[in-house]
């Protein structure tokens, strides 16, 4: 009985020691795999994951850089479009679009220009001083909007002249000088109203005047050599001091246009 109990205890302690020894050996082995010659081993899977992460960062870095640069250019363009008011001048107009209630206070847009008339005479902004001017930017190859705007301009000027004895000079500035030569523009405008003064010139001169008057336009290529010009079809009313006082959009008709022009003219004379 005593011998059996001793054997049972010795077996129990021996098994515990064996298990304890395996645990120690397992622990030492796991530690030894992490260090070799005083250096820490790195799991190869971690290396692969880190390299993949770096490659993914590089892959997305280039598009992000391009988008950031594009956004910066867009900000500069937007800032340039809003830079329509000279230093020290306040106004209530901004952007390219013109609304029915758009009123301009002071000479905020416009500037000097040198163009060529349909009679092949040099015309500058000084030629218009002392008279009211209705100024429209367009091009003769416009399929629909351009002709409608010229008809409206002609009718409004005629109403102001015949009904109110108010002289307004209608001026058409082409945004397509390549095709709108002096002779072509003369023949085109004669179909609408002989009183409309057509102006053309070199591409650089047209671009400069468009920038002065904040007129957006862009040549849009079509099939072959054909193209059209995208623009916002701005029409301005200039007072005798060559100051822009109103900007008219496409929502006007001849009666509304003549009424608004007369209101501006009479408000100054009173």
């Amino acid at each position: 009985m005593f011998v059996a109990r001793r054997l049972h205890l010795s077996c129990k302690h021996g098994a515990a020691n064996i298990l304890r020894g395996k645990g120690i050996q397992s622990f030492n082995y796991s530690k030894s795999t992490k260090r070799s010659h005083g250096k820490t081993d790195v799991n190869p899977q971690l290396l692969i994951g880190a390299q993949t992460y770096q490659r993914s960062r590089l892959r997305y870095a280039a598009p992000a850089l391009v988008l950031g640069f594009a956004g910066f250019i867009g900000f500069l363009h937007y800032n340039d479009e809003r830079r329509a008011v000279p230093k020290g001048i306040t106004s209530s107009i901004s952007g390219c679009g013109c609304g029915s209630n758009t009123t301009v206070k002071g000479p905020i847009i416009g500037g000097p220009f040198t163009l060529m008339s349909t009679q092949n005479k040099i015309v500058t902004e000084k030629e218009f001083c002392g008279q009211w001017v209705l100024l429209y930017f367009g091009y003769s190859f416009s399929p629909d909007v351009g002709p409608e705007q010229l008809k409206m301009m002609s009718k409004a000027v005629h109403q102001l002249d015949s009904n109110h004895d108010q002289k307004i000079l209608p001026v058409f500035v082409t945004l397509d000088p390549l095709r709108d030569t002096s002779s072509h523009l003369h023949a085109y405008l004669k179909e609408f109203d002989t009183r409309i003064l057509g102006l053309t010139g070199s591409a650089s001169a047209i671009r400069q005047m468009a920038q002065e008057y904040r007129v957006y336009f862009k040549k849009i290529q079509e099939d072959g050599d054909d193209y059209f010009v995208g623009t916002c079809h701005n029409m301005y009313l200039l007072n005798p001091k060559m100051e822009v006082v109103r900007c008219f959009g496409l929502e006007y008709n001849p009666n509304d246009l003549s009424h608004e022009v007369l209101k501006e003219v009479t408000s100054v004379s009173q």
Side-chain angles (χ1 to χ4, degrees):
M1 188 71 176
F2 176 80
V3 176
R5 183 179 298 176
R6 292 289 298 176
L7 288 175
H8 174 73
L9 291 176
S10 62
C11 291
K12 182 178 180 181
H13 290 293
N17 290 333
I18 292 173
L19 291 175
R20 189 180 298 112
K22 286 185 177 181
I24 294 172
Q25 290 177 0
S26 177
F27 175 76
N28 291 335
Y29 176 78
S30 63
K31 291 180 63 177
S32 65
T33 56
K34 295 181 180 179
R35 293 180 176 82
S36 177
H37 303 290
K39 297 182 180 180
T40 303
D41 294 338
V42 180
N43 193 335
Q45 294 182 353
L46 295 178
L47 285 175
I48 295 174
Q51 293 174 357
T52 304
Y53 176 70
Q54 291 178 356
R55 284 197 298 267
S56 63
R57 289 184 62 187
L58 292 175
R59 183 175 62 185
Y60 290 109
L65 198 60
V66 172
L67 289 175
F69 180 74
F72 177 71
I73 295 300
F75 170 77
L76 292 180
H77 177 71
Y78 173 77
N79 186 59
D80 181 68
E81 284 187 341
R82 293 187 62 85
R83 190 174 43 84
V85 184
K87 188 176 182 180
I89 303 283
T90 59
S91 109
S92 59
I93 185 174
S94 63
C96 177
C98 300
S100 58
N101 296 322
T102 302
T103 303
V104 179
K105 299 178 181 179
I108 64 166
I109 56 179
F113 60 86
T114 302
L115 297 178
M116 189 72 64
S117 71
T118 54
Q119 288 77 31
N120 291 318
K121 294 181 180 179
I122 297 177
V123 177
T124 67
E125 73 284 353
K126 298 178 181 179
E127 305 290 334
F128 301 148
C129 291
Q131 54 187 326
W132 287 87
V133 176
L134 197 57
L135 178 64
Y136 173 64
F137 291 85
Y139 65 109
S140 66
F141 285 81
S142 176
D144 44 21
V145 179
E148 291 300 322
Q149 291 296 99
L150 285 176
K151 291 177 183 178
M152 181 179 67
M153 173 188 279
S154 175
K155 292 179 180 179
V157 169
H158 177 73
Q159 290 179 9
L160 289 166
D161 188 11
S162 59
N163 299 337
H164 306 282
D165 194 26
Q166 183 63 56
K167 303 293 183 181
I168 304 294
L169 175 63
V171 179
F172 176 88
V173 178
T174 180
L175 298 174
D176 185 16
L178 180 64
R179 295 182 295 190
D180 287 344
T181 60
S182 296
S183 58
H184 174 79
L185 204 56
H186 175 74
Y188 175 73
L189 294 176
K190 188 169 62 174
E191 299 179 0
F192 297 93
D193 196 325
T194 56
R195 292 172 293 186
I196 300 178
L197 174 61
L199 297 179
T200 184
S202 64
S204 59
I206 295 296
R207 188 182 306 110
Q208 177 183 353
M209 186 175 182
Q211 290 176 350
E212 294 287 348
Y213 283 85
R214 304 305 190 261
V215 176
Y216 165 83
F217 71 100
K218 181 179 181 181
K219 180 179 178 181
I220 302 175
Q221 200 73 32
E222 288 191 325
D223 295 336
D225 296 332
D226 193 17
Y227 65 91
F228 68 96
V229 180
T231 180
C232 47
H233 295 277
N234 285 20
M235 187 180 295
Y236 298 113
L237 177 64
L238 282 68
N239 64 18
K241 297 180 182 180
M242 283 299 294
E243 300 171 347
V244 177
V245 294
R246 287 295 297 271
C247 178
F248 302 104
L250 299 176
E251 70 275 15
Y252 283 85
N253 58 49
N255 293 331
D256 294 336
L257 180 60
S258 61
H259 175 74
E260 293 300 324
V261 170
L262 182 62
K263 186 168 63 175
E264 292 294 334
V265 173
T266 54
S267 65
V268 173
S269 59
Q270 291 176 354

